mmCIF file of all heavy atoms in Angstrom:
data_model
loop_
_atom_site.group_PDB
_atom_site.id
_atom_site.type_symbol
_atom_site.label_atom_id
_atom_site.label_comp_id
_atom_site.label_asym_id
_atom_site.label_seq_id
_atom_site.Cartn_x
_atom_site.Cartn_y
_atom_site.Cartn_z
ATOM 1 N N PRO V 228 22.908 -24.510 -62.106
ATOM 2 C CA PRO V 228 23.031 -23.091 -62.453
ATOM 3 C C PRO V 228 23.149 -22.896 -63.957
ATOM 4 O O PRO V 228 23.586 -23.798 -64.669
ATOM 5 C CB PRO V 228 24.320 -22.662 -61.736
ATOM 6 C CG PRO V 228 25.124 -23.912 -61.653
ATOM 7 C CD PRO V 228 24.130 -25.027 -61.468
ATOM 8 N N PRO V 229 22.772 -21.718 -64.450
ATOM 9 C CA PRO V 229 22.882 -21.459 -65.891
ATOM 10 C C PRO V 229 24.347 -21.380 -66.329
ATOM 11 O O PRO V 229 25.230 -21.047 -65.538
ATOM 12 C CB PRO V 229 22.178 -20.118 -66.064
ATOM 13 C CG PRO V 229 22.232 -19.474 -64.722
ATOM 14 C CD PRO V 229 22.174 -20.597 -63.731
ATOM 15 N N GLU V 230 24.598 -21.688 -67.573
ATOM 16 C CA GLU V 230 25.945 -21.593 -68.123
ATOM 17 C C GLU V 230 26.405 -20.134 -68.124
ATOM 18 O O GLU V 230 25.574 -19.212 -68.295
ATOM 19 C CB GLU V 230 25.968 -22.146 -69.546
ATOM 20 C CG GLU V 230 25.676 -23.628 -69.661
ATOM 21 C CD GLU V 230 26.786 -24.463 -69.046
ATOM 22 O OE1 GLU V 230 27.938 -23.983 -69.010
ATOM 23 O OE2 GLU V 230 26.490 -25.576 -68.579
ATOM 24 N N PRO V 231 27.709 -19.907 -67.964
ATOM 25 C CA PRO V 231 28.199 -18.517 -67.989
ATOM 26 C C PRO V 231 27.837 -17.768 -69.263
ATOM 27 O O PRO V 231 27.596 -16.560 -69.228
ATOM 28 C CB PRO V 231 29.716 -18.693 -67.857
ATOM 29 C CG PRO V 231 29.892 -20.005 -67.174
ATOM 30 C CD PRO V 231 28.760 -20.874 -67.652
ATOM 31 N N ALA V 232 27.750 -18.491 -70.381
ATOM 32 C CA ALA V 232 27.439 -17.825 -71.646
ATOM 33 C C ALA V 232 25.950 -17.587 -71.837
ATOM 34 O O ALA V 232 25.547 -16.825 -72.730
ATOM 35 C CB ALA V 232 27.982 -18.656 -72.815
ATOM 36 N N ASN V 233 25.138 -18.215 -71.011
ATOM 37 C CA ASN V 233 23.685 -18.096 -71.167
ATOM 38 C C ASN V 233 23.181 -16.863 -70.412
ATOM 39 O O ASN V 233 22.553 -16.950 -69.355
ATOM 40 C CB ASN V 233 23.007 -19.363 -70.651
ATOM 41 C CG ASN V 233 21.539 -19.438 -71.042
ATOM 42 O OD1 ASN V 233 20.957 -18.461 -71.513
ATOM 43 N ND2 ASN V 233 20.935 -20.609 -70.853
ATOM 44 N N THR V 234 23.457 -15.709 -70.951
ATOM 45 C CA THR V 234 23.075 -14.463 -70.285
ATOM 46 C C THR V 234 21.561 -14.269 -70.268
ATOM 47 O O THR V 234 21.026 -13.611 -69.372
ATOM 48 C CB THR V 234 23.732 -13.259 -70.980
ATOM 49 O OG1 THR V 234 23.363 -13.263 -72.371
ATOM 50 C CG2 THR V 234 25.252 -13.344 -70.874
ATOM 51 N N PHE V 235 20.862 -14.834 -71.272
ATOM 52 C CA PHE V 235 19.397 -14.694 -71.304
ATOM 53 C C PHE V 235 18.755 -15.326 -70.076
ATOM 54 O O PHE V 235 17.908 -14.718 -69.408
ATOM 55 C CB PHE V 235 18.845 -15.338 -72.588
ATOM 56 C CG PHE V 235 17.344 -15.336 -72.637
ATOM 57 C CD1 PHE V 235 16.630 -14.165 -72.885
ATOM 58 C CD2 PHE V 235 16.619 -16.503 -72.388
ATOM 59 C CE1 PHE V 235 15.240 -14.164 -72.915
ATOM 60 C CE2 PHE V 235 15.230 -16.506 -72.416
ATOM 61 C CZ PHE V 235 14.541 -15.325 -72.683
ATOM 62 N N LEU V 236 19.171 -16.570 -69.745
ATOM 63 C CA LEU V 236 18.609 -17.249 -68.581
ATOM 64 C C LEU V 236 18.986 -16.530 -67.289
ATOM 65 O O LEU V 236 18.178 -16.446 -66.350
ATOM 66 C CB LEU V 236 19.084 -18.700 -68.547
ATOM 67 C CG LEU V 236 18.535 -19.569 -67.399
ATOM 68 C CD1 LEU V 236 17.004 -19.543 -67.397
ATOM 69 C CD2 LEU V 236 19.057 -21.000 -67.501
ATOM 70 N N GLN V 237 20.204 -16.010 -67.241
ATOM 71 C CA GLN V 237 20.615 -15.261 -66.049
ATOM 72 C C GLN V 237 19.743 -14.035 -65.839
ATOM 73 O O GLN V 237 19.354 -13.709 -64.718
ATOM 74 C CB GLN V 237 22.091 -14.842 -66.183
ATOM 75 C CG GLN V 237 23.072 -16.006 -66.168
ATOM 76 C CD GLN V 237 24.506 -15.537 -66.340
ATOM 77 O OE1 GLN V 237 24.841 -14.411 -65.994
ATOM 78 N NE2 GLN V 237 25.346 -16.406 -66.879
ATOM 79 N N GLU V 238 19.405 -13.363 -66.946
ATOM 80 C CA GLU V 238 18.555 -12.180 -66.831
ATOM 81 C C GLU V 238 17.125 -12.554 -66.441
ATOM 82 O O GLU V 238 16.447 -11.810 -65.727
ATOM 83 C CB GLU V 238 18.555 -11.422 -68.161
ATOM 84 C CG GLU V 238 19.901 -10.776 -68.475
ATOM 85 C CD GLU V 238 19.922 -10.142 -69.858
ATOM 86 O OE1 GLU V 238 18.883 -10.249 -70.566
ATOM 87 O OE2 GLU V 238 20.956 -9.555 -70.217
ATOM 88 N N VAL V 239 16.654 -13.709 -66.917
ATOM 89 C CA VAL V 239 15.325 -14.169 -66.548
ATOM 90 C C VAL V 239 15.235 -14.463 -65.055
ATOM 91 O O VAL V 239 14.256 -14.121 -64.371
ATOM 92 C CB VAL V 239 14.933 -15.417 -67.373
ATOM 93 C CG1 VAL V 239 13.663 -16.056 -66.823
ATOM 94 C CG2 VAL V 239 14.755 -15.057 -68.833
ATOM 95 N N LEU V 240 16.282 -15.096 -64.534
ATOM 96 C CA LEU V 240 16.285 -15.460 -63.111
ATOM 97 C C LEU V 240 16.528 -14.269 -62.190
ATOM 98 O O LEU V 240 16.089 -14.274 -61.034
ATOM 99 C CB LEU V 240 17.368 -16.519 -62.856
ATOM 100 C CG LEU V 240 17.140 -17.899 -63.480
ATOM 101 C CD1 LEU V 240 18.366 -18.782 -63.268
ATOM 102 C CD2 LEU V 240 15.905 -18.567 -62.878
ATOM 103 N N ALA V 241 17.244 -13.255 -62.678
ATOM 104 C CA ALA V 241 17.632 -12.123 -61.831
ATOM 105 C C ALA V 241 16.405 -11.436 -61.254
ATOM 106 O O ALA V 241 15.475 -11.062 -61.981
ATOM 107 C CB ALA V 241 18.467 -11.127 -62.626
ATOM 108 N N GLY V 242 16.390 -11.281 -59.966
ATOM 109 C CA GLY V 242 15.319 -10.567 -59.283
ATOM 110 C C GLY V 242 14.162 -11.442 -58.873
ATOM 111 O O GLY V 242 13.379 -11.057 -58.001
ATOM 112 N N SER V 243 14.022 -12.612 -59.481
ATOM 113 C CA SER V 243 12.932 -13.512 -59.105
ATOM 114 C C SER V 243 13.491 -14.816 -58.545
ATOM 115 O O SER V 243 13.286 -15.143 -57.378
ATOM 116 C CB SER V 243 12.031 -13.778 -60.310
ATOM 117 O OG SER V 243 12.792 -14.310 -61.393
ATOM 118 N N GLY V 244 14.225 -15.542 -59.380
ATOM 119 C CA GLY V 244 14.826 -16.789 -58.895
ATOM 120 C C GLY V 244 16.079 -16.560 -58.084
ATOM 121 O O GLY V 244 16.366 -17.299 -57.140
ATOM 122 N N ILE V 245 16.841 -15.547 -58.450
ATOM 123 C CA ILE V 245 18.062 -15.201 -57.702
ATOM 124 C C ILE V 245 17.993 -13.716 -57.345
ATOM 125 O O ILE V 245 17.486 -12.908 -58.116
ATOM 126 C CB ILE V 245 19.337 -15.507 -58.512
ATOM 127 C CG1 ILE V 245 19.308 -14.779 -59.865
ATOM 128 C CG2 ILE V 245 19.517 -17.001 -58.708
ATOM 129 C CD1 ILE V 245 20.570 -14.953 -60.675
ATOM 130 N N PHE V 246 18.492 -13.374 -56.189
ATOM 131 C CA PHE V 246 18.405 -11.985 -55.731
ATOM 132 C C PHE V 246 19.426 -11.757 -54.618
ATOM 133 O O PHE V 246 20.013 -12.696 -54.079
ATOM 134 C CB PHE V 246 16.994 -11.661 -55.229
ATOM 135 C CG PHE V 246 16.459 -12.655 -54.230
ATOM 136 C CD1 PHE V 246 16.683 -12.496 -52.874
ATOM 137 C CD2 PHE V 246 15.738 -13.776 -54.656
ATOM 138 C CE1 PHE V 246 16.200 -13.416 -51.954
ATOM 139 C CE2 PHE V 246 15.249 -14.700 -53.745
ATOM 140 C CZ PHE V 246 15.488 -14.527 -52.385
ATOM 141 N N GLY V 247 19.632 -10.505 -54.286
ATOM 142 C CA GLY V 247 20.543 -10.149 -53.202
ATOM 143 C C GLY V 247 19.783 -9.765 -51.944
ATOM 144 O O GLY V 247 18.647 -9.270 -52.013
ATOM 145 N N THR V 248 20.403 -10.014 -50.805
ATOM 146 C CA THR V 248 19.831 -9.588 -49.528
ATOM 147 C C THR V 248 20.883 -8.823 -48.742
ATOM 148 O O THR V 248 22.095 -9.020 -48.926
ATOM 149 C CB THR V 248 19.334 -10.771 -48.690
ATOM 150 O OG1 THR V 248 20.455 -11.593 -48.324
ATOM 151 C CG2 THR V 248 18.317 -11.600 -49.448
ATOM 152 N N ILE V 249 20.432 -7.959 -47.879
ATOM 153 C CA ILE V 249 21.323 -7.215 -46.988
ATOM 154 C C ILE V 249 20.776 -7.294 -45.574
ATOM 155 O O ILE V 249 19.570 -7.452 -45.371
ATOM 156 C CB ILE V 249 21.482 -5.735 -47.423
ATOM 157 C CG1 ILE V 249 20.118 -5.033 -47.474
ATOM 158 C CG2 ILE V 249 22.197 -5.645 -48.755
ATOM 159 C CD1 ILE V 249 20.200 -3.554 -47.822
ATOM 160 N N ASN V 250 21.659 -7.205 -44.611
ATOM 161 C CA ASN V 250 21.278 -7.170 -43.200
ATOM 162 C C ASN V 250 21.477 -5.759 -42.660
ATOM 163 O O ASN V 250 22.535 -5.149 -42.872
ATOM 164 C CB ASN V 250 22.119 -8.156 -42.386
ATOM 165 C CG ASN V 250 21.777 -9.599 -42.697
ATOM 166 O OD1 ASN V 250 20.714 -9.886 -43.243
ATOM 167 N ND2 ASN V 250 22.674 -10.506 -42.367
ATOM 168 N N LEU V 251 20.477 -5.269 -41.976
ATOM 169 C CA LEU V 251 20.529 -3.932 -41.394
ATOM 170 C C LEU V 251 20.408 -4.017 -39.880
ATOM 171 O O LEU V 251 19.658 -4.842 -39.357
ATOM 172 C CB LEU V 251 19.391 -3.057 -41.932
ATOM 173 C CG LEU V 251 19.267 -2.885 -43.445
ATOM 174 C CD1 LEU V 251 18.108 -1.943 -43.757
ATOM 175 C CD2 LEU V 251 20.555 -2.354 -44.037
ATOM 176 N N THR V 252 21.130 -3.142 -39.205
ATOM 177 C CA THR V 252 20.990 -2.995 -37.757
ATOM 178 C C THR V 252 20.364 -1.642 -37.458
ATOM 179 O O THR V 252 21.010 -0.603 -37.669
ATOM 180 C CB THR V 252 22.350 -3.105 -37.045
ATOM 181 O OG1 THR V 252 22.931 -4.376 -37.331
ATOM 182 C CG2 THR V 252 22.193 -2.948 -35.540
ATOM 183 N N PRO V 253 19.107 -1.588 -37.016
ATOM 184 C CA PRO V 253 18.492 -0.298 -36.674
ATOM 185 C C PRO V 253 19.201 0.331 -35.468
ATOM 186 O O PRO V 253 19.463 -0.333 -34.468
ATOM 187 C CB PRO V 253 17.045 -0.662 -36.333
ATOM 188 C CG PRO V 253 16.822 -2.007 -36.954
ATOM 189 C CD PRO V 253 18.149 -2.703 -36.885
ATOM 190 N N MET V 254 19.520 1.610 -35.591
ATOM 191 C CA MET V 254 20.240 2.324 -34.540
ATOM 192 C C MET V 254 19.386 3.379 -33.850
ATOM 193 O O MET V 254 19.467 3.576 -32.647
ATOM 194 C CB MET V 254 21.488 2.986 -35.124
ATOM 195 C CG MET V 254 22.482 2.021 -35.737
ATOM 196 S SD MET V 254 23.231 0.945 -34.480
ATOM 197 C CE MET V 254 24.356 -0.016 -35.500
ATOM 198 N N LEU V 255 18.552 4.064 -34.628
ATOM 199 C CA LEU V 255 17.695 5.123 -34.091
ATOM 200 C C LEU V 255 16.362 5.083 -34.824
ATOM 201 O O LEU V 255 16.266 4.557 -35.943
ATOM 202 C CB LEU V 255 18.334 6.502 -34.283
ATOM 203 C CG LEU V 255 19.606 6.815 -33.502
ATOM 204 C CD1 LEU V 255 20.225 8.105 -34.025
ATOM 205 C CD2 LEU V 255 19.348 6.913 -32.019
ATOM 206 N N MET V 256 15.355 5.660 -34.213
ATOM 207 C CA MET V 256 14.053 5.752 -34.868
ATOM 208 C C MET V 256 13.433 7.115 -34.578
ATOM 209 O O MET V 256 13.787 7.792 -33.605
ATOM 210 C CB MET V 256 13.118 4.630 -34.411
ATOM 211 C CG MET V 256 12.785 4.623 -32.933
ATOM 212 S SD MET V 256 11.724 3.252 -32.452
ATOM 213 C CE MET V 256 10.198 3.736 -33.243
ATOM 214 N N PHE V 257 12.516 7.502 -35.446
ATOM 215 C CA PHE V 257 11.823 8.773 -35.294
ATOM 216 C C PHE V 257 10.346 8.556 -35.576
ATOM 217 O O PHE V 257 9.971 8.018 -36.623
ATOM 218 C CB PHE V 257 12.398 9.813 -36.256
ATOM 219 C CG PHE V 257 11.491 10.995 -36.476
ATOM 220 C CD1 PHE V 257 11.322 11.938 -35.481
ATOM 221 C CD2 PHE V 257 10.819 11.161 -37.677
ATOM 222 C CE1 PHE V 257 10.481 13.021 -35.670
ATOM 223 C CE2 PHE V 257 9.979 12.252 -37.881
ATOM 224 C CZ PHE V 257 9.813 13.183 -36.873
ATOM 225 N N THR V 258 9.501 8.937 -34.635
ATOM 226 C CA THR V 258 8.055 8.815 -34.799
ATOM 227 C C THR V 258 7.433 10.194 -34.648
ATOM 228 O O THR V 258 7.530 10.813 -33.580
ATOM 229 C CB THR V 258 7.455 7.866 -33.740
ATOM 230 O OG1 THR V 258 8.091 6.596 -33.827
ATOM 231 C CG2 THR V 258 5.963 7.697 -33.968
ATOM 232 N N PRO V 259 6.823 10.746 -35.683
ATOM 233 C CA PRO V 259 6.221 12.080 -35.588
ATOM 234 C C PRO V 259 5.101 12.113 -34.552
ATOM 235 O O PRO V 259 4.453 11.092 -34.280
ATOM 236 C CB PRO V 259 5.670 12.332 -36.998
ATOM 237 C CG PRO V 259 6.388 11.364 -37.877
ATOM 238 C CD PRO V 259 6.679 10.172 -37.029
#
């Protein structure tokens, strides 16, 4: 992992090399 002080590398990796994920549970749907 990048050093805590190496903010440049962290910004380079953000969104491409490292990213966040979320889990969703669909409850309802609507189809016109």
Side-chain angles (χ1 to χ4, degrees):
E230 295 292 333
N233 192 348
T234 57
F235 175 74
L236 182 55
Q237 293 178 27
E238 291 174 358
V239 170
L240 292 174
S243 57
I245 56 176
F246 51 89
T248 65
I249 58 177
N250 290 341
L251 304 182
T252 301
M254 299 293 181
L255 293 169
M256 62 182 290
F257 162 73
T258 303

